[in-house]
Amino acid sequence: MSLAVRVIPCLDVDGGRVVKGINFQDLRDAGDPVELAKVYDAEGADELTFLDISASHEGRATTMEIVSATAEQVFIPLTVGGGVASVADVDRLLRAGADKVAINTAAIRRPELIAEVADRFGNQVLVLSVDARRAAGTPSGFEVTTHGGRQSAGLDALEWAARAAELGAGEILLNAMDADGTEDGFDLDLIGAVRREVAIPIIASGGAGAAAHFPPAVAAGADAVLAATIFHFGKVRVGEAKDALRAAGAAVR
């Protein structure tokens, strides 16, 4: 029996507000992450990912109050990322109610952090977020970026994914920067390339524009599919994404 494919809405939070322009009529405050999390929980999302998108470049920790408030309202696993730079940060987020913590920039700066977090809390807690884009001069043709895709990290994306898995990352949140926001579909080449390098779960992110885009990502090697814009705008419901996956033969909850 293969594990069920997870469907994961992503809340990109900036200054306490979800920032991908949400238009649900039934929400009192369209930009409130806690209200949105409740909707997705009710719709059958398997997990939620909460990314404090301005935390890293503003050099501050993720907003604990919002994490706590969200965790109190939802009964599905909650992954939190943004500005996580130390074992102490991970500890604080887990105490605030996060089930998993996503690390990106800090792990690039100091890869040992992956091992430290995995040793202290277990691999299942650590999600390595990899923002990858096509780059001609790299061995694999994909490089790692930081600062929301604005800067090259000088790392080959496939080599970095493989190294992170060895150091103890529990899963990889693979953000395809070239596809992000395009709604043209997931970057299947990137998913397949990383799948060949690592055995740990891959969460595909970037490019979802229709329910039909989810099954090819899974066929390419993703264990979970993540989207923001199409869910927030009500273009695709969580249930529709699951129906498409089910119709394609994927196991879903």
Side-chain angles (χ1 to χ4, degrees):
M1 174 70 187
S2 60
L3 288 172
V5 173
R6 291 167 287 150
V7 176
I8 308 175
C10 183
L11 305 178
D12 292 315
V13 178
D14 184 9
R17 314 272 298 174
V18 176
V19 289
K20 287 211 177 172
I22 303 118
N23 225 332
F24 278 75
Q25 297 100 22
D26 55 351
L27 295 184
R28 290 192 303 279
D29 178 345
D32 184 61
V34 180
E35 292 297 322
L36 207 49
K38 277 162 50 177
V39 169
Y40 289 138
D41 194 0
E43 279 191 9
D46 297 299
E47 295 184 10
L48 275 178
T49 294
F50 176 113
L51 299 176
D52 189 331
I53 59 170
S54 51
S56 269
H57 68 119
E58 287 176 9
R60 59 172 174 78
T62 305
T63 317
M64 295 294 160
E65 306 78 65
I66 306 176
V67 173
S68 300
T70 305
E72 279 168 19
Q73 295 293 339
V74 301
F75 303 97
I76 51 178
L78 177 65
T79 298
V80 181
V84 179
S86 66
V87 169
D89 288 344
V90 174
D91 188 52
R92 270 194 296 275
L93 285 168
L94 294 174
R95 289 175 192 276
D99 298 283
K100 301 187 231 183
V101 176
I103 298 179
N104 185 339
T105 312
I108 292 168
R109 224 178 279 135
R110 209 173 64 80
E112 307 80 54
L113 179 61
I114 297 171
E116 290 166 9
V117 172
D119 289 347
R120 170 89 183 267
F121 305 105
N123 304 49
Q124 76 288 345
V125 158
L126 182 62
V127 178
L128 181 78
S129 186
V130 178
D131 295 341
R133 70 179 174 200
R134 281 174 168 69
T138 55
S140 70
F142 294 99
E143 70 173 356
V144 178
T145 67
T146 59
H147 299 81
R150 293 191 292 277
Q151 292 180 26
S152 171
L155 290 171
D156 181 88
L158 270 58
E159 289 173 6
W160 175 231
R163 185 174 179 206
E166 278 171 22
L167 284 167
E171 52 189 337
I172 289 174
L173 171 53
L174 185 60
N175 306 306
M177 302 314 285
D178 298 316
D180 193 57
T182 63
E183 299 191 28
D184 291 334
F186 291 92
D187 190 329
L188 306 180
D189 294 340
L190 175 62
I191 295 166
V194 175
R195 174 77 292 158
R196 289 187 287 276
E197 295 295 322
V198 303
I200 60 176
I202 295 171
I203 303 164
S205 167
H213 288 154
F214 291 99
V218 174
D223 301 273
V225 281
L226 177 144
T229 310
I230 58 166
F231 289 145
H232 299 342
F233 281 120
K235 189 172 175 184
V236 176
R237 298 284 184 200
V238 170
E240 290 167 341
K242 289 193 170 188
D243 288 344
L245 288 163
R246 202 177 280 115
V252 289
R253 289 194 187 90

